[in-house]
């Protein structure tokens, strides 16, 4: 009896939590079908009185979203793949190799995680503008090719692989390079997927940096493109919400497919014998 | 292949010498056990043979070849680790194939050889499973097959049986012996379990404190220990050690040298008349029977002894005469070195 009560309470809390998380998404989708007048009505309506598909069509036409989409895809994938590769190699060095100053270097890099991202915007911008990279893919991609968070997560996962496996591979004739790619990486698949997914979502949603380093439609990414709906005379909410929905849709789909790796990768390092 | 250690020592970077003057020969095709308590230097010696550690001084030979400066790969050793170290993401077959893949053996040859090895270690019906789906014994077999895959000069096994349950341990130690005899590969294995070493090995190297205490056939180790440590370590129950002053001069005169302690094997002590033997006055406290085994608790003076050949006919709690068969009685000097019987300088 007591067990059922506590279980009910737990589930009740979970349901409340889930609804709270889902509410903005519901509001976004619902608003995207409303008329401009209904969107701002008080008291607000939960569901649109009449489905307005026109918001979606005019939203897509309001800005060059096809270009934005292409830019977002290119930037997200290149930064993610780059970050995974650099993280794998750095994590291997920190987890399994011995070199002079390893601990000091690791501590210094760990300390960089304490620096707020906003503080890096100006120095990074200055550096890139002196390299004449502003308004290019280079500006959108290069600063994000390595992330210590990814290195750190992977290092933990690599370190949990027993050293015997390394010695066994050595005796079997595998070089460090082959051990890394043929033994360690396949065994850290869930951690790698997790950091990849987090990065791709982060990169897809990033707003501040692309806004600063790009100034033409040709280089803008989707989140920056959403600005098209706000002007001096106000915000066109139904169209903004329609555009927001199609901007986040790819990430939601990706997450649905890969979410079990994220959970496994974050919680356990993911290595099972 | 023959392995030869020529005055090898190993000193750790912090200056501690952990192996002292290791000088021995392992005959080609033999199965040798490195036996000893934890911290005795067994695994360290194994790692010196494998090349995972390199010697501080001295030379190591495989056959006629000096391999002292060669790394693990160059020496061509196969190794089975205590936790087997199978690659978790590969199937059994891929695990066995891996060393041959690294050695760039062509595809059909390596697959065929892997299948032969799977047959040899009797895992042919498991080849498509992942290591995590196998039992401990099967993982062990796969690890042996993988170590044999590149036709190693020497096969090394680090505590191969310690992760198995008691029954499987007996089964696997027979298997290791069978596989070793079938392949004829020189094999060295580390264990801290004397019965494992006694049952399987052609020769046992008993190590303690980074020194070879004795390197001999299992039976010689038992019958003819070099020193008190060996006599104590080999044999179950452990050797009874009694200070020499508990015995009269007559007993001490039997041995050549200054007798400090006398060791008596539990299985040499009996209440039945025996010769040649030394006689002693003792009190039997109790005699317990476990199936075919017996164990008696007795005392000589203030010293507690264990005997396995005292019968239930022995009178309890009173002074009786016991006999210790001379073949199971050893005398040691102050430093623990074994003293020979007088007139017996073999």
């Amino acid at each position: 009896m007591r067990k059922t009560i506590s279980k009910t309470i737990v589930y009740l809390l979970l349901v409340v939590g889930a609804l709270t998380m889902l509410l903005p998404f519901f509001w976004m989708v619902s608003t995207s079908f409303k008329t401009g007048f209904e969107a701002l009505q008080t008291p607000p309506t939960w569901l649109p009185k009449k489905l307005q598909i026109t918001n979606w069509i005019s939203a897509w036409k309001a800005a060059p979203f096809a270009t934005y989409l292409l830019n977002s895809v290119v930037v997200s994938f290149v930064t993610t793949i780059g970050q995974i590769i650099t993280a794998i190699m750095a994590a291997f060095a920190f987890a399994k190799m011995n070199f002079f100053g390893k601990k000091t270097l690791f501590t210094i890099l760990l300390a960089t995680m304490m620096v707020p991202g906003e503080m890096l915007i100006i120095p990074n911008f200055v550096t890139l503008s002196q390299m004449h990279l502003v308004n290019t893919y280079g500006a959108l991609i290069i600063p994000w090719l390595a992330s210590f968070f990814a290195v750190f997560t992977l290092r933990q996962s690599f370190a949990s692989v027993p050293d015997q496996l390394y010695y066994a591979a050595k005796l079997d004739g595998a070089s460090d390079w082959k051990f890394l790619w043929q033994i360690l990486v396949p065994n850290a698949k869930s951690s790698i997927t997790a950091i990849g997914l987090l990065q791709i979502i982060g990169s897809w949603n990033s707003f501040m940096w692309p806004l600063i380093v790009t100034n033409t439609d040709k280089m803008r990414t989707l989140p920056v493109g959403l600005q098209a709906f706000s002007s001096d005379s106000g915000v066109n909410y139904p169209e903004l919400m329609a555009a927001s929905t199609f901007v986040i849709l790819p990430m939601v789909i990706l997450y649905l497919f890969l979410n079990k790796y994220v959970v496994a990768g974050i919680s356990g390092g993911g290595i099972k014998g | 292949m023959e392995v030869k250690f020529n005055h090898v020592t190993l000193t750790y970077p912090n200056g501690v010498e952990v192996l002292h003057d290791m000088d021995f020969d392992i005959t080609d095709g033999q199965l040798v056990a490195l036996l000893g308590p934890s911290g005795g230097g067994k695994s360290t010696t194994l790692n010196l043979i494998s090349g995972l550690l390199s010697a501080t001084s001295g030379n190591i030979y495989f056959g006629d070849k000096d391999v002292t400066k060669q790394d693990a790969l160059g020496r061509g050793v196969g190794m089975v680790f205590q936790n087997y170290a199978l690659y978790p993401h590969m199937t059994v077959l891929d695990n066995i194939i891996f060393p041959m893949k690294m050695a760039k053996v062509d595809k059909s040859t390596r697959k065929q050889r892997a299948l032969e090895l799977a047959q040899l270690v009797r895992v042919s019906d498991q080849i498509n499973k992942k290591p995590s789906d196998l039992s401990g014994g099967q993982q062990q077999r796969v690890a042996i097959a993988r170590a044999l895959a590149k036709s190693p000069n020497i096969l090394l096994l680090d505590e191969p049986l310690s992760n198995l349950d008691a029954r499987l341990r007996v089964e696997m130690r027979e298997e290791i012996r069978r596989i070793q005899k079938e392949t004829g590969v020189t094999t060295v294995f580390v264990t801290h379990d004397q019965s494992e070493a006694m049952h399987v090995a052609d020769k046992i190297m008993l190590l303690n404190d980074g020194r070879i205490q004795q390197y001999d056939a299992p039976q010689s180790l038992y019958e003819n220990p070099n020193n008190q440590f060996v006599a104590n370590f080999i044999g179950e129950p452990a050797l009874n050690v009694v200070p020499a002053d508990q015995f009269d001069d007559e007993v001490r005169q039997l041995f050549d040298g200054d007798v400090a302690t006398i060791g008596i094997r539990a299985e040499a002590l009996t209440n039945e008349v025996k010769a040649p033997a030394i006689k002693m006055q003792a009190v039997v406290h109790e005699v317990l029977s476990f199936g075919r085994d017996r164990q008696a608790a007795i005392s000589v003076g203030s010293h507690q002894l264990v005997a396995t050949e005292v019968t239930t006919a022995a009178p309890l709690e009173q002074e009786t005469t016991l006999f210790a068969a001379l073949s199971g009685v050893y005398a040691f000097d102050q430093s623990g070195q074994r003293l020979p019987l007088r007139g017996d300088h073999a």
Side-chain angles (χ1 to χ4, degrees), chain A residues 161-235:
Chain A
V161 173
D163 281 344
Q164 268 92 343
L165 226 54
Y166 179 61
Y167 295 132
K170 269 270 144 84
L171 285 171
D172 283 345
S175 57
D176 277 357
W177 184 255
K178 281 185 175 154
F179 169 71
L180 172 60
W181 293 100
Q182 298 195 17
I183 311 287
L184 265 189
V185 167
N187 276 306
K189 238 187 336 200
S190 52
S191 296
I192 293 171
T193 315
I195 59 166
L197 197 51
L198 289 177
Q199 172 54 27
I200 211 165
I201 292 171
S203 175
W204 188 270
N205 290 341
S206 81
F207 174 77
M208 191 64 133
W209 183 253
L211 179 69
I212 291 170
V213 295
T214 61
N215 49 32
T216 60
D217 276 343
K218 235 179 75 197
M219 279 295 136
R220 291 252 148 112
T221 57
L222 284 171
V224 181
L226 292 178
Q227 278 188 116
F229 302 99
S230 56
S231 62
D232 294 341
S233 56
V235 178

Side-chain angles (χ1 to χ4, degrees), chain B residues 222 225 227-244 246-247 259-270 278 280 282-283 294-300 302-310 322-325 328-332:
Chain B
Y222 172 77
N227 58 37
Q228 194 172 340
F229 177 82
V230 178
N232 227 332
F233 197 86
I234 305 284
E236 181 67 43
L239 191 75
N240 295 302
V241 180
V242 184
Q246 293 288 321
F247 298 90
V259 181
T261 53
I262 286 193
I264 304 168
R265 291 234 180 260
E267 51 276 31
L269 259 179
T270 172
I278 56 175
M280 53 207 280
V283 177
R294 267 197 309 272
Q295 189 159 319
I298 62 182
S299 55
V300 172
S302 60
H303 297 274
Q304 306 296 316
L305 274 60
V306 173
T308 57
E309 298 303 321
V310 169
L322 293 184
F323 298 85
V329 176
Y330 314 117
F332 305 102

